[in-house]
Amino acid sequence: MAKAAPAEQLKLLELQGLDAKLKSLASRRRTLENDPRITDLQDALGVANGALGAAKLAVHDAEAELRRSEADVEQVASRIERDEARLNSGTGLSKDLVALQSDIASLNKRRSDLEDVELEILERLDVLRERQAAQQQIVDDIQGSFSGIRTDLDAAIAEIVAEETEVRAQRTGFAEGLDAGMLAIYEKTLAKRGVGAARLFHGKSEGSGMTLSPGDLAEVKAAAEDDIVFCPDSGCILVRSAEWN
């Protein structure tokens, strides 16, 4: 059976306290790193950006449609201008001038129809631009919330990391002064069980929270003071103090 002086074994409780603190800090850090608000905002931002992309595409398509409509109106207007210039010159046969007047009338009707289409596109484009602006505001608001929460979380995580660094340094310095054999057993037990050592107090293991059976207590009582004994339930080292039994 592995052995260590009772005074050395008592030091394991302080080491376990430091390890428990490191474990608590790591748990708090993971909780902050996996804050559900970040995930929710990332999901919301993804949906909002998708809607914004669709809104931008709708505006882009409407603007292209407007440019084509404006070109159509300009083309008809240019033709009307040329035909009116020919008509006003008075040159040509009368039947040609009559035909020209008819063409101009048709072109004016065509331009009116095209301008109605252009107006409809402009009105639709105004609505689409308003939707794009509203969607952009939604994206901006989500990004603002995300940045604010991320800043707060990063600050809190940085504080925990700093404390972890400090506690880890304390732990390293403290562990260097412990019995090497006992420390090796403790480290192996900590890695396997999650708890390296706990106090045995009035027959109760603080590692498992369970009161030892009469048989287990008898075995502990029969062990030498410098024997390293273990909790039958949690598997951690049981540190016996003056009030252990």
Side-chain angles (χ1 to χ4, degrees):
M1 180 177 287
K3 293 180 177 291
E8 280 293 297
Q9 292 189 43
L10 281 172
K11 293 178 182 178
L12 290 178
L13 296 179
E14 185 172 348
L15 183 63
Q16 178 60 59
L18 292 171
D19 283 330
K21 189 169 186 179
L22 285 172
K23 185 176 181 179
S24 175
L25 288 169
S27 177
R28 286 169 53 196
R29 175 166 45 80
R30 285 193 298 271
T31 298
L32 291 173
E33 290 171 343
N34 297 289
D35 192 305
R37 292 176 299 170
I38 292 296
T39 301
D40 292 343
L41 285 172
Q42 286 175 330
D43 292 343
L45 187 58
V47 173
N49 275 325
L52 179 59
K56 287 181 177 179
L57 181 60
V59 169
H60 177 272
D61 290 344
E63 288 174 341
E65 186 179 358
L66 178 61
R67 288 192 295 271
R68 291 192 297 269
S69 179
E70 288 173 338
D72 290 343
V73 171
E74 185 178 351
Q75 184 179 21
V76 172
S78 297
R79 185 174 172 184
I80 291 173
E81 185 178 351
R82 291 195 304 269
D83 287 354
E84 286 180 340
R86 288 178 56 195
L87 181 63
N88 292 333
S89 69
T91 59
L93 298 176
S94 62
K95 64 176 183 178
D96 293 333
L97 295 177
V98 171
L100 197 56
Q101 286 178 324
S102 177
D103 287 343
I104 292 173
S106 297
L107 288 171
N108 278 321
K109 176 64 170 62
R110 172 64 176 161
R111 180 168 65 177
S112 176
D113 292 341
L114 289 173
E115 287 174 343
D116 288 343
V117 171
E118 183 180 356
L119 180 59
E120 183 276 326
I121 296 173
L122 279 170
E123 292 173 347
R124 179 156 44 90
L125 183 56
D126 285 341
V127 173
L128 292 174
R129 284 172 173 164
E130 288 176 0
R131 290 178 183 173
Q132 179 183 332
Q135 191 60 39
Q136 182 66 62
Q137 186 60 55
I138 292 174
V139 170
D140 292 344
D141 289 344
I142 295 174
Q143 287 178 330
S145 298
F146 181 89
S147 297
I149 293 174
R150 184 74 268 172
T151 298
D152 292 342
L153 288 175
D154 287 344
I157 290 171
E159 290 181 4
I160 292 176
V161 169
E163 189 174 356
E164 282 180 311
T165 300
E166 181 180 348
V167 174
R168 194 170 288 111
Q170 293 175 0
R171 197 240 192 230
T172 299
F174 184 78
E176 288 175 350
L178 299 180
D179 177 84
M182 180 189 70
L183 179 61
I185 295 172
Y186 171 87
E187 298 285 19
K188 183 177 181 180
T189 303
L190 178 66
K192 184 176 181 180
R193 304 292 184 177
V195 178
R199 185 172 63 156
L200 178 61
F201 187 69
H202 292 306
K204 183 178 182 179
S205 167
E206 294 183 350
S208 65
M210 304 288 291
T211 299
L212 271 64
S213 68
D216 290 331
L217 281 173
E219 288 185 12
V220 173
K221 188 173 183 179
E225 288 187 352
D226 61 351
D227 285 342
I228 295 178
V229 298
F230 297 88
C231 172
D233 296 307
S234 67
C236 70
I237 297 172
L238 282 179
V239 178
R240 294 162 285 174
S241 62
E243 306 86 0
W244 75 267
N245 193 3

